[in-house]
Structure formats: structure tokens, C-alpha cells
Amino acid sequence: MSVLLLSLSGPLQSWGDSSRFTVRNTGREPSKSGVLGLAASALGRSREASLGDLCSLEFGVRIDQPGEMIRDFQTEHLARGGDSLPLSNRYYLADAKFLVALGGDSALIAEIERALLHPKWPLFLGRRSCPPDTPLLYHAKRGPYDDIRVALKTEPWIASEWYRNRLGARRNSDYPDLEIACDARDGEKGEIHTDIPLSFGAIRRYGQRSVVREWINNPSAPEDDSQDLDVQLSAALQGHNPMEFI
């Protein structure tokens, strides 16, 4: 297996997997259908093209900067006649950053990587109104990897500097634990998401997948040396009266 890493960052993102009619929701992290749709767009595939090879890819995401959910209340009128269209509420994630991992056949991963460098069609983060603000391809600093979970648990934290500073001021810690959400593997039980794209055609169809969540230590956090200090202090005290050190 080969692993491709993506950095998804932008002023706005929206990853709906249950939107209907006048309410367009967003999940807390990128959906598998949204990311595979992004790959399909880069590859230049039509909406009626087969997606079987893309759906076979293992998918995982790390929430490095969760962002803030905001609501856009929209009104619309027809250009001719001025008749009002139904009011709609559209939800977005503002100032979010995610590290996404795709794992699978090496040839397919390489093809997607080339396409993201030279996409056939414009790329966006869930909706066309959500362009990325950084290159989508993330070049591994500690890889390469053959397991998406190892990659997500190893690669450095990609949060913005202003976000890191804000956390440091509020929590006495610059390195919070991070949440990852990955495709469940054999024997694992997780929550059900309906975001496997079966067709992006006129009638869109989606299948279900099982997702497992896990909190991990921040890969950018310095190693905890408190235990080593305890060992050193214990060795220093051996054969001495503890009161000598007061």
C-alpha cells in the first residue's frame, strides 16, 4: 500500500453528507465522498464515470484545527420576474485545517498525486464557494508510509500559528491531543457514515462505511522527560539523608 497525504485548509470548508433541500449541513471533518470527489475532479472524470477504484482507497483524517461552524442564511430571486426562491441555511467550517490520508494501490495513488499537481477541473473543499488557501498535496516530513494510521499519528501538527498561540494562552499547553477518524478495519466497530460515493451523476447515490475515532498524542509535542527526572532524583538520593538536600 502507498499513502498520499493532503492538507485541507481554507477560509471556508463544507463537507455535507446528509444535506437536504434548504438546509445544507457540514460535518466536523472532511467526508470520504468529498475528498474522493476532489480526486475525481482532478483526474478529469465525468460525473457518470465509475468510482470503484477510488472507493477502494482507505481513508483517514486528522483534525488539526477544528475551525468554527458558521451559518449562511441565503435569499434568492429569479433574474426575470423577481420571484423569491426558497430560503436556505448553509453551514460552513471557518478557519479549519485537516490532514487527510488516502491509502491503496501504488499506481492509483501516483496517478492521483500527478492529477492534484495539474488538475483537469477546479478543486474546492466540499463546495465551489470554498477554494483551498494552500497547496493540497502535503509532502511527508517523516515518511514515506504504507499505513494511513501511522502517517496520521506521525506527521507534524499543521495548525496555524495564530491558533497555536491562542491555545497556549487558554490551556497552558501548546500541544493539544488530536482526533483522527479512519475507515474501520476488519473486526472494528464504529459509527456509520453514508459517504461512499456510488455515483456523482444526476441522481447521486451513496453507500455506508464504518468509521472509528481515536484521540492521539500531538506528534509535534516534545517528549515528556518528567519520568527521567524522577529516576535521576531517586539515584541522587540513594545513600543520602533526604534532609541534606533541603
Side-chain angles (χ1 to χ4, degrees), residues 109-180:
I109 289 293
E111 183 182 4
I112 295 172
E113 183 174 9
R114 290 191 297 269
L116 290 174
L117 287 172
H118 305 284
K120 176 71 174 180
W121 291 315
L123 306 179
F124 44 86
L125 305 179
R127 292 189 194 147
R128 290 177 182 169
S129 59
C130 304
D133 62 7
T134 60
L136 293 175
L137 283 177
Y138 175 88
H139 297 287
K141 295 177 174 60
R142 302 175 183 172
Y145 303 95
D146 57 10
D147 185 292
I148 66 166
R149 298 189 185 184
V150 172
L152 294 176
K153 293 178 180 180
T154 305
E155 281 301 304
W157 190 29
I158 64 171
S160 302
E161 190 65 29
W162 66 265
Y163 179 75
R164 297 172 186 237
N165 292 337
R166 189 176 73 177
L167 285 185
R170 291 183 177 181
R171 297 189 182 180
N172 298 321
S173 173
D174 294 333
Y175 301 96
D177 290 343
L178 303 177
E179 185 180 11
I180 63 174

Side-chain angles (χ1 to χ4, degrees), residues 77 82 193 196 219 224:
H77 293 80
H193 288 209
I196 295 290
D224 184 6

Side-chain angles (χ1 to χ4, degrees), residues 54-75:
L54 296 180
C55 291
S56 69
L57 295 173
E58 189 176 16
F59 175 77
V61 56
R62 192 179 77 197
I63 304 173
D64 282 33
Q65 187 171 312
E68 178 183 0
M69 188 173 294
I70 62 174
R71 177 175 69 97
D72 180 25
F73 177 68
Q74 294 192 357
T75 62

Side-chain angles (χ1 to χ4, degrees), residues 32-33 35-41 43-57 108 112 195-201 203-207:
K32 187 168 186 175
S33 60
V35 173
L36 295 187
L38 186 152
S41 183
L43 291 165
R45 296 193 182 184
S46 70
R47 289 189 175 274
E48 291 72 29
S50 172
L51 300 169
D53 57 343
L54 296 180
C55 291
S56 69
L57 295 173
L108 177 58
I112 295 172
D195 66 345
I196 295 290
L198 304 178
S199 172
F200 285 130
I203 300 178
R204 299 188 181 187
R205 296 183 295 112
Y206 299 93

